[in-house]
Amino acid sequence: MGLDPEHESAWRQAAEAAIAYRQGIDARVQRPEAVYREALEAFDAPLADAGQPPDAGQPPDAVVRDLIARAEPGLSGTTGPRFFGWVIGASHPVGVAADWLTSAWGQNAGNHVAAPAAAAAETIAARWLLDLLGLPAEASVGFVTGATMANVVGLAAARGEVLRRAGWDVEADGLFGAPPIAVLIGDDAHATVFSALQFLGLGHARVVRVATTAQGAMDADAFEAALADCSGPIIVVTQAGQINTGAFDPHQRIVPLAHARGAWVHVDGAFGLWARACPARAHLGTGIDAADSWATDGHKWLQTPYDCGYAIVRDAEAHRRAMTVAASYLPPVAEGERDPSHTVPELSRRARGFATWAMIRHLGRRGIADMVERHCRLARRMAGALAADPRVAVLNEVVLNQVIVRFGDDDDLTLRVIRRIQEDGTCFAGGANWRGRWVMRLSVIGATTEADADISVAAIRRALDAA
Ligand SMILES: Cc1ncc(COP(=O)(O)O)c(C=O)c1O
């Protein structure tokens, strides 16, 4: 028998609990009821030896029941309709269904002999992604855990290729003694790009930080001047969708200037790249397709469950050189076939292509465009309604799905409103420091409707009244 009855029963219990959870998500407070410390206690107690693994095992049903009971209070409303914290997609039910199957099928997407269906789903999903995002059809796509790793992969390919052109084989010889690489990056780039540079030995502090506009986009004149001062191999890191404002770097100017100097251009478009899949927003990303590599997420605007990001590299050879893995026991790949393990840092890994394939199949080109536009429209609606209150200042041009607001003049009031809105739980919004002052951030990227947007604005106003 393939599946033991007690395992089957545990699966059914898990599915029923998952369904009940998602059925109740609208009514649930959008913040977790338990904070981390309480969740920690819930997971530890009441085992006799707190902090030690249990001595005796538990039957499958009991484990699932126990897991649900301990986890539920500490679950955050990320899949709910009024969750505007960070930039968090809503794990769409169709993506979740594909993800359940991915776990149940237990495929190792490391190579296409071990897991032909997983590799094929990736190949086709990759083709669809390039088409939807308007990127070169010849580009190669790695299915990674998220945009952070997509940035690592894109920048690893960039590092290898600009050094190869300078006569240095970084994959073989490392960075010791290599020609120095100049890295140019906007001052308002996302923190994870600096992490990626750090992981790759390029350093997060030795970069040339290019001045940005009030909206956080790279200033093209400042970029041109900074580029003129560079010599040797150059990598330029641009951004599509600033985390606070949604602003895009001016790719039409930056990419040709960079290419004229032989630089590699990597675009961090964790969520913003999806504007290119939406005709009404695509103008924001003009010129992006001329870049050399791109990082984006499935688990943000495509609504796949975590972990799902895409590292896209125009030069498939450079991508492969940066990520390649070879061992005699691993099956060789036929000429011209895509080998999943040559596109990502890991060998054994989750078959991420299934959920991506399912989400694109479900939403279709039109559904994705409509969803992106709906989120942008709702962001403008919320910004407009908040700005109507004289005590509220909307600080960004709402070009995408991101809104930042301040309440009154002092940071304390803004921080108090954020605290109150989180305590209230009607909706969830976080804070950030923008240009030296605290702001409330609203990222509209989930299951929000117009009614949810209005309920949330009313809750924010109430929080302001009470703060
Ligand atoms: C612009 C940008 N880049 C990179 C990232 C990192 O993405 P992930 O958290 O999927 O690794 C984010 C996350 O919000 C982002 O907004």
Side-chain angles (χ1 to χ4, degrees):
M1 184 184 309
L3 186 67
D4 209 288
E6 59 174 357
H7 291 145
E8 181 184 336
S9 150
W11 279 17
R12 290 193 191 285
Q13 192 189 346
E16 273 164 27
I19 292 165
Y21 175 76
R22 292 294 281 263
Q23 280 171 338
I25 192 71
D26 288 18
R28 203 183 150 97
V29 287
Q30 305 286 288
R31 63 163 158 73
E33 307 226 14
V35 296
Y36 170 67
R37 255 191 193 290
E38 292 159 332
L40 202 58
E41 277 166 26
F43 272 93
D44 214 10
L47 300 176
D49 303 316
Q52 300 290 314
D55 227 20
Q58 291 283 313
D61 250 357
V63 172
V64 172
R65 202 168 38 249
D66 199 18
L67 175 63
I68 294 165
R70 288 169 199 254
E72 279 254 11
L75 297 179
S76 149
T78 42
T79 60
R82 295 180 302 283
F83 189 90
F84 306 109
W86 306 285
V87 188
I88 289 191
S91 278
H92 191 285
V94 172
V96 171
D99 211 48
W100 282 351
L101 289 167
T102 302
S103 293
W105 287 335
Q107 301 294 290
N108 182 339
N111 75 72
H112 72 304
V113 174
E122 280 193 6
T123 301
I124 300 305
R127 207 176 288 162
W128 289 354
L129 283 168
L130 294 175
D131 191 296
L132 288 165
L133 298 172
L135 298 178
E138 77 273 16
S140 120
V141 183
F143 287 66
V144 288
T145 48
T148 303
M149 282 314 293
N151 282 323
V152 170
V153 173
L155 289 169
R159 182 186 67 165
E161 178 58 18
V162 297
L163 285 178
R164 194 190 62 78
R165 291 185 208 147
W168 189 267
D169 182 351
V170 73
E171 282 86 18
D173 300 325
L175 280 173
F176 303 100
I181 302 174
V183 178
L184 278 81
I185 185 167
D187 207 25
D188 289 304
H190 194 265
T192 58
V193 183
F194 293 97
S195 305
L197 291 167
Q198 170 182 325
F199 302 156
L200 292 165
L202 296 172
H204 64 252
R206 68 176 282 288
V207 296
V208 179
R209 294 181 80 121
V210 178
T212 48
T213 65
Q215 294 299 311
M218 234 195 282
D219 180 295
D221 292 334
F223 172 75
E224 189 167 9
L227 187 65
D229 285 342
C230 292
S231 56
I234 303 170
I235 296 174
V236 174
V237 187
T238 65
Q239 181 163 248
Q242 209 281 334
I243 186 79
N244 292 312
T245 63
F248 282 58
D249 287 344
H251 290 89
Q252 316 91 293
R253 276 197 65 195
I254 289 177
V255 182
L257 286 169
H259 281 167
R261 290 292 311 281
W264 176 295
V265 182
H266 172 77
V267 183
D268 173 19
F271 61 99
L273 205 57
W274 289 93
R276 289 177 58 85
C278 171
R281 301 284 110 202
H283 60 278
L284 295 168
T286 305
I288 278 180
D289 47 323
D292 301 285
S293 56
W294 304 264
T296 194
D297 268 318
H299 59 218
K300 288 190 170 62
W301 236 335
L302 190 57
Q303 313 290 333
T304 65
Y306 289 90
D307 304 320
C308 192
Y310 315 112
I312 307 173
V313 183
R314 177 192 296 275
D315 179 344
E317 260 313 298
H319 189 178
R320 184 189 167 100
R321 272 197 308 272
M323 292 294 123
T324 203
V325 55
S328 60
Y329 77 94
L330 295 173
V333 174
E335 185 64 28
E337 273 183 1
R338 174 182 182 277
D339 186 333
S341 65
H342 291 321
T343 59
V344 296
E346 317 100 321
L347 179 57
S348 297
R349 68 178 170 86
R350 185 168 191 74
R352 302 184 181 107
F354 291 133
T356 300
W357 185 93
M359 280 311 300
I360 299 176
R361 184 93 178 84
H362 173 59
L363 293 174
R365 191 190 297 279
R366 211 169 329 127
I368 292 170
D370 289 351
M371 171 185 59
V372 170
E373 185 50 20
R374 179 171 60 81
H375 289 141
C376 296
R377 199 174 53 242
L378 289 170
R380 282 198 304 277
R381 182 186 181 98
M382 292 180 77
L386 285 167
D389 188 319
R391 300 167 298 172
V392 185
V394 174
L395 298 188
N396 65 319
E397 288 167 25
V398 184
V399 292
L400 205 65
N401 63 331
Q402 303 294 111
V403 183
I404 45 175
V405 294
R406 265 181 74 73
F407 303 94
D409 254 349
D410 67 314
D411 276 352
D412 280 354
L413 177 61
T414 298
L415 289 169
R416 281 203 306 277
V417 178
I418 295 169
R419 206 163 42 242
R420 277 191 177 270
I421 202 70
Q422 291 184 358
E423 280 163 8
D424 171 66
T426 304
C427 67
F428 187 97
N433 198 290
W434 178 245
R435 303 290 186 246
R437 315 282 298 272
W438 280 95
V439 294
M440 177 189 273
R441 295 180 63 259
L442 299 162
S443 299
V444 188
I445 194 159
T448 311
T449 63
E450 288 189 354
D452 290 309
D454 296 347
I455 291 168
S456 303
V457 167
I460 294 170
R461 280 194 162 152
R462 277 200 311 277
L464 174 58
D465 288 341

